[in-house]
Amino acid sequence: MSGSRAEAEEKVGSRQRLQVNEYKENQNIAYVSLRPVQTTVLGKTPKVYLVPFSLSSYKPDQLKRPKSLLDKNSNNEVACKKCKKAEIKKTCRRILTPKMEATSSKAESTLQKSSLDVHAESNKWQYKSTSDTVILSADTESSQDGDSDEGTTPGMDDFSGLSPYEKKRLKNISENANFFASLQLSESAARLREMIKKRQPPESKRKKPKKKENETGCRRSMRLLKVDPSGVSLPATPTQPILVADENPLLPPGPLEMTSENRDDNSELFKGFLQTWAEVSKVSLGRTRSKNTEKELSSIKSYKANLNGMIISEDTVYKVTKGPIFSMALHPSEIRTLVAAGARSGQVGLWDLTHQPKEDGVYIFQPHSQPVSCLYFSPANPAHLLSLSYDGTLRCGDFSRAVFEEVYRDERSSFSSFDFLAEDASTLIVGHWDGSMSLVDRRTPGTSCEKLINSSLSKIRTVHVHPVHRQYFITAGLRDIHIYDARCLNPSRRKPLISLTEHTKSIASAYFSPLTGNRVVTTCADCKLRIFDSSCISSKIPLLTTIRHNTITGRWLTRFQAVWDPKQEDCIIVGSMAHPRRVEVFHERGKWVHSFLGGECLASVCSINVMHPTRYILAGGNSSGRIHVFMN
């Protein structure tokens, strides 16, 4: 008996274990391993039945053996039933965790199929050998931290041969899939799409209340309704034409009596003023001009020394006209210092600086109704002051007879500038704002011009005659500068002899040098002063120098006009926007020569400046009618 029992035990020990391979259809499904576990051999062979179950509807207490199996077991099986039942429940809890509830139905069917195959195979083994006891247990990977020291799950090494890292990765994939499935993102996205697709209800437009036809209107004045208290309409009152007064009415044609606006005509001061002009008219300026022409130009060093000696004081600053000064002229007398200024209001102011106090030496006249843009003392008679205005009139103030004579008048056009074609001031060239020019002969009776020529310019700002070859004159337009020959002017020919097209913006003025006419200086809004070589008047005049200078005065200040010094024709004088306020002198080569600074006496911009032909006297006018005089 003992020998047969020992042989049976050896057979049982040498018997190979039953192995069941798991079904791998989806890598996200946990592996199921079924293997026989060697246990204590009992007297009878127990039978194990595998029943299909669902993962989604699993409950821990659901997996129980049928009562029929319990009834068939012997008393020896009852002793180990509790142990086996506890072991099965523990294994099932590891397999069926709450996270597996969201597994797809495909995984459930796969697991059921594998369970049925295992049940059939176990029955086959049971039929062959009834003396062996086989207990099938289902194990699942458990790679949680702290499950085992080696980080592996028993039962997986024999089948898959996966490393701990791969097992942990598979577990993480499964847990992430279950987590996202539990969030129900697809359902939330579907609900959001439905909410977006829903059309928003159109905005309800507010309905305007309908006006009642019989609604009573507001009360109105019977005077506004033009009815009397009884309700009868009043007759319409005849409307009288409203006479709008012209701000700048034209003065009557013909000569105007010279009456001062700030003095009494019968006062002793005014009579003395007229007597002074009569004495000045006796001075012959022909000799002085010939002497200055023959005289050579002084050196720049001596010229600078004379300019440094010119100063300004409170006695040489005074407000002469009303409004901005548009033009200025200095009387050529060497005995008296007489300054003339033309204002925007049409006034002409005269200031005798040799008279003290200075208030008594100022006289204001009104020969024009619009801005006086050009002033010249006659080269033939220094007692005559010619003034040109925007109002289309050119007048000559004769202080010996106290009258303003009318030289030329054209009410259909506006004048901009003029100059003398002849040295005796008998003929003049007048520029119009519309681009036309007039040749005026003062020897003919009346005030009609001899010729009216339309130039190629759209506008003419300044006109200046060559000091030596007086048949040539230069005109400054908007962007171009033209030089004409007065002998070739006729209505059919408008082409100039020379055109200077180097300017890029609006031009303010263009003047020949005073003694020889060999240079031309132009002032442009592009902040450049240009000097051209006009020594040989041909088809082209070369550009000599370009001087950078700020010429932007704005709309409230009179525009700058660079002019030549009659004593030193290689130097130009121009106002400045720099602080402190000043008047600057430049050489024709572009070098700075001198700056006239006045401190508190010169606190504004002098846009218009003029130099005495023989003395070192500079007069500058600003945009408020004030004159500043620098003198030795």
Side-chain angles (χ1 to χ4, degrees), residues 22 24 27 29-33 139-141 156 160 162 170:
E22 67 275 13
K24 296 182 181 179
Q27 297 294 335
I29 301 175
Y31 298 112
V32 178
S33 62
D139 297 335
T140 308
E141 295 178 6
M156 296 295 296
S160 61
L162 298 177
L170 294 175

Side-chain angles (χ1 to χ4, degrees), residues 276-277 279-290 292 328-340 350-351 354 375-386 399 420 566-567 610-617 619:
T276 302
W277 280 93
E279 295 176 356
V280 171
S281 64
K282 297 178 182 179
V283 179
S284 176
L285 297 177
R287 298 176 184 174
T288 306
R289 176 171 288 276
S290 61
N292 291 338
M328 291 187 68
L330 265 173
H331 195 277
S333 173
E334 296 183 359
I335 302 172
R336 288 180 176 271
T337 304
L338 300 174
V339 185
L350 296 174
W351 184 20
T354 58
L375 276 177
Y376 283 114
F377 285 100
S378 174
N381 189 352
H384 291 174
L385 176 64
L386 283 83
F399 293 94
F420 303 102
K567 303 179 299 297
V610 62
M611 201 78 167
H612 196 277
T614 57
R615 302 166 59 188
Y616 283 93
I617 299 176

Side-chain angles (χ1 to χ4, degrees), residues 474 483 498-500 502 512 518-520 531-544:
I474 187 170
I483 296 178
I498 301 171
S499 297
L500 306 179
E502 288 83 356
F512 283 109
N518 292 335
R519 300 289 185 267
V520 172
I531 299 175
F532 297 86
D533 184 7
S534 58
S535 58
C536 180
I537 297 179
S538 58
S539 60
K540 187 176 181 181
I541 293 179
L543 176 65
L544 289 180

Side-chain angles (χ1 to χ4, degrees), residues 515-566:
L515 298 180
T516 61
N518 292 335
R519 300 289 185 267
V520 172
V521 60
T522 63
T523 308
C524 185
D526 59 0
C527 296
K528 291 180 181 180
L529 306 177
R530 294 176 174 86
I531 299 175
F532 297 86
D533 184 7
S534 58
S535 58
C536 180
I537 297 179
S538 58
S539 60
K540 187 176 181 181
I541 293 179
L543 176 65
L544 289 180
T545 311
T546 299
I547 303 173
R548 295 288 302 177
H549 185 71
N550 185 7
T551 58
I552 307 301
T553 56
R555 59 178 300 186
W556 304 112
L557 300 180
T558 308
R559 299 183 67 177
F560 288 148
Q561 292 185 2
V563 296
W564 297 97
D565 188 347

Side-chain angles (χ1 to χ4, degrees), residues 132-196:
D132 298 334
T133 303
V134 180
I135 300 175
L136 299 177
S137 61
D139 297 335
T140 308
E141 295 178 6
S142 178
S143 60
Q144 297 179 355
D145 297 341
D147 289 347
S148 62
D149 297 339
E150 299 179 356
T152 58
T153 304
M156 296 295 296
D157 298 333
D158 300 336
F159 305 102
S160 61
L162 298 177
S163 64
Y165 168 77
E166 293 176 344
K167 294 177 182 179
K168 188 173 182 64
R169 177 177 172 274
L170 294 175
K171 178 179 178 297
N172 292 339
I173 292 174
S174 176
E175 290 179 354
N176 293 338
N178 297 336
F179 172 73
F180 283 111
S182 64
L183 294 179
Q184 299 180 352
L185 296 178
S186 59
E187 297 178 1
S188 301
R191 288 196 299 269
L192 289 175
R193 292 192 194 96
E194 293 179 359
M195 293 173 62
I196 294 173

Side-chain angles (χ1 to χ4, degrees), residues 107-157:
E108 295 175 1
S109 60
T110 303
L111 187 58
Q112 291 176 3
K113 182 178 179 181
S114 60
S115 301
L116 293 176
D117 296 339
V118 171
H119 178 66
E121 189 174 354
S122 62
N123 291 335
K124 182 178 179 180
W125 280 94
Q126 182 181 2
Y127 176 77
K128 291 181 179 180
S129 176
T130 57
S131 62
D132 298 334
T133 303
V134 180
I135 300 175
L136 299 177
S137 61
D139 297 335
T140 308
E141 295 178 6
S142 178
S143 60
Q144 297 179 355
D145 297 341
D147 289 347
S148 62
D149 297 339
E150 299 179 356
T152 58
T153 304
M156 296 295 296
D157 298 333

